[in-house]
């Protein structure tokens, strides 16, 4: 009759040991994702053309790389970089020159993350503040002289920021003691060039 009780106590001790092991540990993560949000302001390349506020994609996508330190079993402070690749825009050909639109955007955030310490599948909540750019691809319907033959509707980017802040959340699922799958939803607000952007990300996290 004592064996099941001992087994349960051993399992409880193992779980407590795992939870305690997360404190004072370093976590690295890499996630891929895409986003969309409210774009307004002026074109990055067509700088004299205002963009009416509208929802637009932050395409092609982005890579989010982060590193953090678990201060406790439930609280982590860290840094995250958002590295965006931009596609789908058009060049401007004028005065025997080619003007190319932006092809990337970068932002860096300081982050705080809360997550419960027990279980293999855990939710988490996060907050971030940082600086950089988030770009959305917009079609400028009034401009139809882009492309090598100057007969294409112009597609430009609008860069929001440089001040950025947001909140997010997601789920982590432990594959082992150190490796976990991560699904995330992050939001960002930009100023003085405004945006409200939403990112969906997926990737892996590794605890040292």
């Amino acid at each position: 009759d004592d064996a099941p009780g001992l087994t349960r106590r051993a399992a409880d001790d193992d779980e407590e040991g795992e939870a305690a092991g997360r404190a004072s540990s370093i976590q690295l993560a890499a996630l891929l994702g895409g986003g969309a949000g409210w774009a307004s302001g002026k074109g990055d390349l067509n700088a004299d053309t205002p963009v009416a506020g509208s929802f637009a994609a932050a395409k092609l996508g982005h890579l989010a790389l982060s590193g953090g330190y678990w201060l406790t079993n439930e609280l982590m402070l860290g840094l995250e970089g958002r590295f965006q690749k931009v596609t789908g825009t058009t060049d401007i050909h004028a005065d025997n020159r080619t003007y190319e639109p932006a092809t990337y955007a970068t932002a860096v955030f300081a982050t705080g993350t809360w997550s419960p310490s027990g279980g293999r599948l855990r939710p988490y909540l996060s907050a971030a503040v940082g600086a950089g750019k988030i770009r959305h691809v917009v079609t400028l319907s009034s401009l139809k002289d882009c492309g090598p033959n100057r007969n294409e509707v112009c597609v430009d980017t609008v860069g929001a920021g440089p001040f950025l802040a947001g909140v997010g959340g997601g789920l982590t699922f432990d594959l082992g003691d150190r490796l976990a799958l991560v699904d995330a939803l992050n939001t960002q607000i930009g100023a003085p060039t405004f945006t409200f952007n939403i990112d969906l990300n997926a990737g892996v996290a590794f605890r040292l």
Side-chain angles (χ1 to χ4, degrees):
D1 291 341
D2 290 337
L6 289 173
T7 301
R8 285 194 295 270
R9 285 195 294 272
D12 291 342
D13 290 342
D14 288 342
E15 290 178 2
E16 290 174 5
E18 282 189 19
R22 196 166 77 176
S24 303
S25 64
I26 295 172
Q27 178 170 300
L28 305 176
L31 289 80
L32 291 173
W38 187 261
S40 62
K42 293 187 177 181
D44 290 325
L45 185 59
N46 299 272
D48 57 347
T49 303
V51 175
S54 62
F55 281 97
K59 59 183 182 183
L60 168 72
H62 60 266
L63 170 66
L65 299 176
S66 64
Y69 185 83
W70 287 98
L71 297 177
T72 72
N73 292 331
E74 297 182 341
L75 179 63
M76 180 176 68
L77 298 182
L79 292 174
E80 179 178 312
R82 183 185 187 275
F83 306 96
Q84 179 186 349
K85 175 65 176 176
V86 179
T87 59
T89 54
T90 54
D91 299 338
I92 294 177
H93 296 259
D95 302 324
N96 296 318
R97 295 183 59 184
T98 299
Y99 300 88
E100 298 180 349
T103 58
Y104 67 92
T106 302
V108 178
F109 299 90
T111 62
T113 300
W114 175 88
S115 178
S117 58
R120 295 181 65 187
L121 179 64
R122 298 183 303 278
Y124 72 87
L125 298 174
S126 65
V129 60
K133 289 282 187 180
I134 295 176
R135 286 195 161 94
H136 297 92
V137 177
V138 296
T139 299
L140 306 177
S141 301
S142 62
L143 301 180
K144 299 179 173 62
D145 58 350
C146 287
N149 297 320
R150 303 190 66 179
N151 61 354
E152 299 178 23
V153 175
C154 294
V155 181
D156 202 351
T157 59
V158 175
F163 301 108
L164 300 166
V167 295
L171 294 171
T172 62
F173 180 77
D174 288 343
L175 297 177
D177 292 339
R178 298 185 179 275
L179 185 64
L181 298 178
V182 183
D183 289 320
L185 185 152
N186 295 325
T187 65
Q188 302 93 16
I189 293 177
T193 303
F194 175 77
T195 189
F196 175 73
N197 185 71
I198 299 175
D199 287 339
L200 292 176
N201 304 328
V204 294
F206 184 77
R207 290 189 293 272
L208 301 180

